């Protein structure tokens, strides 16, 4: 039978593999015959992986050590790890969700992904509307290729100060997901020149390790379910996101790059059609001024 997905014998790197979507993804990739390097801040313990590596994505030195331990080249990188921003600071949340992924992309993936390979990031439905010019203008300072890790940390601290200081972790979450979407779009040409595709998956609310944090932030699980259950009539499961990621990294998606895949069973479509209100159509300047 033709191997339409093409993972057999391919080398894949997955971040966040100890839990949730990335764990489900890692299990699927192992089943499909890939050699998987499972990365997390704790041991991933997924049976069948080639190697489980512990790395802290909030720490540049730990990322550098990680990339010394990974193969010189690999075929697919799935950047899934993230923080909900409910129990972490604005800076810590932004660092893991965005600064780490930008650093990995610009410092390592550019040279380490083999031609024909793929990068897929998990951003969020919370990062929708990044493409509107007035929203994008707030993000472009963060995505410039020349920005070093330290520059980005300084810039993030300044963003906090400019908006009154002590921004909540969840603001860091929204900023990070918007910025990562923009980064994907901006890097399409760089990676196309190397025959590498780069895409994003934007999940709706999913029953993973993060669900408790999101429920706490939204006044309990019942409130969260009422606000986040779309046409599917249920929250997403980790496997729903894993399947979309498996697809984007596979040969079936061989001509797909720069795509922002809403895995939300139509929730964003309802907003685009004007059937439901567009929830995230605000700039940080507008939204944070209102709160202060
Ligand atoms: N669950 C949702 O409703 C939802 C919705 C939209 C987007 N997302 C995004 O999906 C992605 C996957 O999250 P999940 O929902 O599977 O949650 P999860 O909490 O189950 O998994 C996140 C994983 O990231 C790892 N991680 C966190 N900080 C790290 C660090 N500093 N270094 C290394 N690993 C670290 C955690 O240990 C964990 O294994 C995240 O980027 C999240 O923002 C989740």
């Amino acid at each position: 039978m033709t191997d339409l997905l093409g993972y057999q014998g391919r080398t894949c790197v997955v971040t966040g593999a100890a839990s949730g979507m990335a764990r489900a993804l890692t299990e699927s990739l192992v089943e499909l015959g890939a050699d998987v390097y499972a990365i997390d801040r704790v041991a991933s313990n997924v049976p069948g992986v080639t190697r489980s590596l512990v790395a802290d994505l909030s720490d540049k030195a730990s990322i550098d050590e990680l990339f010394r331990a990974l193969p010189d080249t690999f075929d697919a990188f799935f950047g899934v790890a993230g923080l909900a921003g409910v129990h972490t600071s604005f800076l810590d949340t932004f660092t893991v969700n965005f600064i780490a992924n930008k650093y990995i992309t610009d410092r390592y993936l550019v040279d380490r992904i083999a031609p024909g390979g793929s990068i897929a990031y998990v951003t969020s439905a919370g990062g929708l509307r990044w493409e509107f010019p007035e929203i994008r203008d707030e993000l472009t300072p963060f995505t410039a290729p020349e920005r070093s890790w330290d520059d980005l940390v300084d810039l993030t601290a300044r963003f906090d100060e400019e908006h009154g200081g002590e921004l909540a972790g969840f603001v860091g979450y929204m900023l990070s997901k918007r910025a990562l979407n923009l980064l994907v779009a901006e890097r399409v040409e760089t990676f196309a020149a190397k025959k590498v595709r780069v895409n994003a998956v934007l999940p709706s609310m999913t029953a993973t390790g993060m669900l408790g944090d999101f429920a706490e932030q939204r006044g309990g699980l019942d409130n969260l379910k009422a606000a986040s259950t779309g046409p599917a009539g249920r929250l997403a499961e980790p496997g729903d996101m894993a399947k979309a990621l498996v697809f984007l990294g596979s040969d079936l998606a061989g001509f797909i790059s720069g795509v922002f895949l809403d895995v939300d069973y139509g929730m964003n479509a309802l907003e685009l059609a004007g059937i439901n209100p567009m929830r995230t159509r605000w700039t940080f300047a507008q939204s944070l001024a209102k709160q202060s």
Side-chain angles (χ1 to χ4, degrees):
M1 204 166 67
T2 316
D3 176 13
L4 286 174
L5 293 170
Y7 282 108
Q8 193 71 47
R10 293 240 177 107
T11 305
C12 300
V13 177
V14 180
T15 72
S19 173
M21 303 173 191
R23 186 179 177 91
L25 170 68
T26 302
E27 288 166 354
S28 297
L29 294 173
V30 167
E31 204 179 313
L32 290 165
D35 298 328
V36 187
Y37 288 75
I39 318 299
D40 207 297
R41 60 183 164 181
V42 295
S44 296
N45 297 328
V46 179
V49 296
T50 302
R51 252 185 109 177
S52 164
L53 292 162
V54 172
D56 179 0
L57 299 177
S58 69
D59 178 9
K60 177 176 170 288
S62 179
I63 295 174
D64 292 334
E65 196 184 324
L66 166 69
F67 276 84
R68 283 194 289 275
L70 286 171
D72 286 347
T73 59
F74 38 88
D75 300 294
F77 180 85
F78 296 93
V80 188
L83 294 169
V86 177
H87 294 292
T88 48
S89 70
F90 172 72
L91 179 60
D92 289 349
T93 309
F94 191 74
T95 301
V96 172
N97 292 5
F98 178 75
I99 298 180
N101 284 320
K102 181 190 181 295
Y103 179 68
I104 288 171
T105 308
D106 291 343
R107 168 73 181 82
Y108 291 109
L109 300 187
V110 151
D111 299 318
R112 304 275 291 267
I113 305 224
S118 147
I119 302 165
Y121 285 114
V122 171
T123 63
S124 173
L128 285 168
R129 320 300 166 225
W130 62 272
E131 71 279 15
F132 284 93
E134 69 281 12
I135 296 179
R136 207 176 56 215
D137 284 351
E138 294 185 320
L139 310 172
T140 45
F142 294 97
T143 57
E146 65 277 8
R147 291 266 186 221
S148 68
W149 180 286
D150 291 343
D151 276 353
L152 282 171
V153 170
D154 287 349
L155 191 66
T156 311
R158 248 182 291 138
F159 184 93
D160 190 4
E161 278 161 29
E162 279 162 16
H163 292 93
E166 297 182 22
L167 286 177
F170 200 67
V171 177
Y173 182 87
M174 298 296 283
L175 183 65
S176 69
K177 298 302 187 178
R178 284 182 172 184
L180 192 52
N181 282 335
L182 176 63
L183 186 84
V184 165
E186 287 183 345
R187 296 298 180 272
V188 163
E189 287 181 303
T190 309
F191 284 100
K194 296 176 175 275
K195 308 232 175 310
V196 172
R197 302 176 297 103
V198 53
N199 293 294
V201 163
L202 283 65
S204 58
M205 195 60 72
T206 309
T208 66
M210 252 177 219
L211 192 66
D213 281 1
F214 287 139
E216 183 183 327
Q217 191 210 22
R218 290 170 205 195
L221 195 56
D222 289 345
N223 283 350
L224 175 140
K225 281 186 178 166
S228 310
T229 304
R234 64 166 174 86
L235 299 182
E237 294 294 330
D240 295 320
M241 302 306 149
K243 285 176 199 159
L245 288 161
V246 165
F247 166 68
L248 281 180
S250 78
D251 289 350
L252 286 180
F255 205 67
I256 297 180
S257 192
V259 154
F260 300 88
L261 187 57
D262 303 317
V263 187
D264 63 357
Y265 216 97
M267 289 178 82
N268 186 35
L270 296 181
E271 295 185 24
L272 293 175
I275 295 167
N276 283 345
M278 204 174 251
R279 288 167 301 169
T280 50
R281 182 73 173 88
W282 40 262
T283 63
F284 283 100
Q286 290 162 348
S287 158
L288 296 171
K290 250 192 245 161
Q291 284 170 31
S292 61

